[in-house]
Amino acid sequence: MVAEDQSLENSGSIHVDKGESRFRNVICGPVRWIKMLSKELHWSFVFGVVSLYGINQGLGGSMGRVATEYYMKDVQKVQPSESQALTAITKIPWIIKPLWGILTDVLPIFGYHRRPYFILAGVLGVVSMLFISLHGNLHLYFALMWMTLSSAAMAIADVTIDACTAYNSIKQSALASDMQSLCSLSSSIGALVGYFMSGILVHLVGSKGVFGLLTLPFALVSVVGIVFSESHVPGFSYKQVNQRFTDAGRAMWRTMKCSDVWRPCLYMYISLALSLNIHEGLFYWFTDSKDGPMFAQETVGFILSIGSVGSILGATLYQLVLKDHPFRGLCLWTQLLFALSGMLDLILVLRLNLKFGLPDYLFIVVDEVVSQMIGRLKWMPLLVLTSKLCPHGIEGTFFALLMSIDNAGIMTSSWLGGVLLHVLKVTRTEFGNLWLAVLVRNVMRLLPLFVLFLVPKGDQNTFKLPSEIMGEDSEEGDEKEEARNLEMASLVHSVDRR
């Protein structure tokens, strides 16, 4: 998510400018900072952010990723290409996130817009994880169905807490940056802990046992729904729902027809889709191949946790050095670095690191940190650009739409990667052509450079859509309606949710 407004302004009982907000983040300390947010925004909101971003998505999502890889390999015993294609299906609920966003915005349940959706997401996640963990011989496609439902539960919870953050960013605009920091830190710390624990837990209780443990983060989502503070909406007329859906659809279609919008969207999709994902082939080689490193389960989790540190370093480097550079130039260099970073995988697969005296463990740690850092640097300007393509009044829903396009690119990347592994006959026991798959992937990462003209040249701070798209010439009454709609908009956090 991106903070909507960080200009100097008063908001209710607090009078904090942007500089003071950042100063408070750094100086006051975590405990005092969280107490301040709990006092100004209500403790249930802070509890919800930490529970959903930190525990459910960060810790639970990272543990679930490692457990899924071992579950598909050891329990379902599928080939790498098949695992690559099937697990991509579980990303579909994230592609249709605008649907969840619109539902939470326009369709209250028992007079509440947010609380019932938290409870629903938690229950759906708990049931899904229980079925996978307790069933002795679950068919592959039924397992895939429950994994997809658990992914949908996480996506619904994500959209709902984003909507709450959007509302508070408008109501307490001076604290917008504090809220973004809380979201990012919760997610990053949760991912670090989750990846570190994942390998150990898979070793101790198995992948199915980890799925059973994941019922706890989902149960916590339902607890958030029970304790969350939200105003009741009495007498809601459900006859308004169809009209609100129609209005939102028309506004999004009108915006997507603008060349300043669809051109960068097309580039983002192409950039993500052509970055072929062959992770499953590499994962099988890391853990099963006699010619490979033969990493233990605990080692895999630790390596992924170190990768999360690289992602944090990338975000920090972008914030300190690169955030003021033009979009096109930044996309050019990050895409080039992204392709070059893939050569580290090629060196590892060809075992050239051993010839240089570099052990596998050390080399893969460096590889993971560098890859995650450059991947974050590549993603950050695209995320900023996405936020600037959203017109007033439907910022949240339209941002969810754009992020869905990006998720579609990620899913396409996984499917194309699975096809590549299948064509090159990379299987559970045959890895002779894995080096060629890595080389093809690295070359494919260069292809988006040929459509770089789709990215605007503008500076990240000054770029904006035409006023007729942004709606800046609207009358005062329209502005008030837009502000009301924005309070109910669902912003999307990006990430690693990828």
Side-chain angles (χ1 to χ4, degrees):
M1 297 176 300
V2 178
E4 298 286 331
D5 180 13
Q6 298 191 4
S7 60
L8 303 179
E9 60 180 292
N10 296 334
S11 58
S13 62
I14 61 173
H15 305 276
V16 185
D17 65 20
K18 179 178 66 175
E20 291 172 348
S21 177
R22 291 179 177 176
F23 179 81
R24 182 174 295 178
N25 280 351
V26 176
I27 301 299
C28 290
V31 175
R32 292 178 58 192
W33 176 48
I34 291 177
K35 286 183 178 180
M36 179 273 294
L37 290 176
S38 299
K39 179 180 179 181
E40 299 293 347
L41 302 173
H42 199 271
W43 67 268
S44 63
F45 170 74
V46 175
F47 174 69
V49 168
V50 174
S51 299
L52 271 73
Y53 286 132
I55 299 177
N56 184 246
Q57 291 186 31
L59 187 146
S62 56
M63 289 174 56
R65 174 187 169 183
V66 176
T68 298
E69 290 175 343
Y70 278 104
Y71 179 80
M72 299 297 281
K73 180 174 75 74
D74 298 334
V75 179
Q76 296 294 343
K77 300 185 183 303
V78 300
Q79 298 294 343
S81 58
E82 187 180 4
S83 176
Q84 189 81 51
L86 292 176
T87 54
I89 295 176
T90 63
K91 304 298 189 296
I92 291 178
W94 293 85
I95 295 177
I96 58 174
K97 284 185 72 172
L99 174 60
W100 315 131
I102 292 177
L103 284 174
T104 61
D105 285 347
V106 306
L107 188 61
I109 300 177
F110 301 116
Y112 293 100
H113 280 280
R114 313 302 180 199
R115 297 178 64 180
Y117 290 97
F118 283 133
I119 297 174
L120 173 64
V123 171
L124 183 60
V126 168
V127 172
S128 301
M129 292 295 96
L130 283 177
F131 263 91
I132 298 176
S133 63
L134 297 179
H135 200 288
N137 189 24
L138 189 62
H139 190 276
L140 173 61
Y141 293 113
F142 281 109
L144 184 65
M145 179 192 73
W146 289 115
M147 289 180 184
T148 304
L149 288 176
S150 68
S151 179
M154 191 173 290
I156 293 171
D158 176 71
V159 167
T160 308
I161 193 62
D162 285 343
C164 300
T165 305
Y167 176 84
N168 284 326
S169 294
I170 297 300
K171 186 178 180 181
Q172 303 274 35
S173 60
L175 291 177
S177 61
D178 294 86
M179 284 182 271
Q180 302 303 326
S181 297
L182 179 64
C183 296
S184 298
L185 286 173
S186 299
S187 178
S188 299
I189 295 173
L192 275 172
V193 176
Y195 279 130
F196 182 78
M197 294 174 53
S198 59
I200 299 173
L201 290 174
V202 170
H203 176 74
L204 293 176
V205 300
S207 57
K208 294 174 64 175
V210 173
F211 283 128
L213 293 175
L214 290 179
T215 58
L216 299 178
F218 278 113
L220 188 60
V221 175
S222 292
V223 173
V224 171
I226 294 173
V227 304
F228 193 78
S229 176
E230 179 185 7
S231 300
H232 185 263
V233 182
F236 176 79
S237 174
Y238 286 91
K239 296 180 180 179
Q240 303 173 9
V241 173
N242 289 337
Q243 185 61 42
R244 292 188 178 186
F245 270 107
T246 302
D247 292 342
R250 287 175 178 174
M252 288 190 291
W253 174 246
R254 182 174 63 251
T255 305
M256 283 300 297
K257 291 191 297 183
C258 175
S259 62
D260 290 330
V261 176
W262 68 259
R263 285 165 61 93
C265 288
L266 179 60
Y267 171 80
M268 286 186 281
Y269 174 80
I270 293 174
S271 175
L272 292 168
L274 295 183
S275 299
L276 302 188
N277 183 355
I278 57 171
H279 174 77
E280 297 302 321
L282 290 169
F283 173 73
Y284 278 55
W285 181 77
F286 288 153
T287 56
D288 280 1
S289 175
K290 294 180 180 179
D291 296 326
M294 294 292 290
F295 287 140
Q297 295 159 339
E298 302 93 326
T299 305
V300 171
F302 178 75
I303 290 171
L304 291 173
S305 67
I306 295 298
S308 298
V309 175
S311 180
I312 295 173
L313 290 175
T316 304
L317 180 60
Y318 173 84
Q319 176 68 21
L320 296 177
V321 180
L322 301 175
K323 66 177 182 178
D324 297 324
H325 288 254
F327 283 116
R328 188 176 296 182
L330 194 53
C331 288
L332 168 65
W333 289 108
T334 54
Q335 192 69 41
L336 281 173
L337 290 173
F338 191 53
L340 289 175
S341 68
M343 299 304 293
L344 294 174
D345 288 333
L346 186 62
I347 293 174
L348 185 65
V349 171
L350 293 176
R351 317 305 281 141
L352 297 178
N353 60 297
L354 297 180
K355 295 181 179 180
F356 293 116
L358 297 174
D360 289 329
Y361 185 81
L362 175 62
F363 191 84
I364 190 94
V365 166
V366 174
D367 181 2
E368 189 70 18
V369 171
V370 171
S371 299
Q372 291 294 329
M373 182 179 68
I374 295 177
R376 174 63 64 176
L377 289 175
K378 175 181 177 291
W379 174 246
M380 290 299 292
L382 298 180
L383 184 62
V384 173
L385 178 59
T386 299
S387 68
K388 290 182 175 290
L389 297 178
C390 302
H392 291 306
I394 57 169
E395 287 95 336
T397 303
F398 197 78
F399 191 86
L401 172 65
L402 297 182
M403 292 301 295
S404 297
I405 295 173
D406 293 344
N407 285 322
I410 294 173
M411 187 173 71
T412 303
S413 169
S414 294
W415 280 341
L416 292 177
V419 171
L420 178 63
L421 293 174
H422 178 75
V423 170
L424 296 180
K425 302 185 186 308
V426 177
T427 67
R428 295 174 57 91
T429 56
E430 296 293 333
F431 300 96
N433 288 329
L434 182 59
W435 70 270
L436 184 57
V438 175
L439 183 61
V440 171
R441 181 202 65 181
N442 296 345
V443 173
M444 292 289 286
R445 286 179 174 182
L446 294 172
L447 296 183
L449 296 175
F450 293 98
V451 293
L452 199 60
F453 62 89
L454 296 172
V455 179
K457 295 181 179 179
D459 181 85
Q460 295 186 64
N461 297 319
T462 59
F463 173 81
K464 61 185 300 185
L465 290 176
S467 58
E468 59 269 19
I469 296 297
M470 294 299 293
E472 294 176 351
D473 55 349
S474 61
E475 297 179 357
E476 182 179 358
D478 294 331
E479 292 175 349
K480 291 181 179 179
E481 178 64 17
E482 289 169 353
R484 186 185 66 82
N485 290 336
L486 176 58
E487 290 181 351
M488 299 177 63
S490 306
L491 290 177
V492 180
H493 180 56
S494 127
V495 290
D496 314 314
R497 320 261 251 282
R498 284 54 35 2

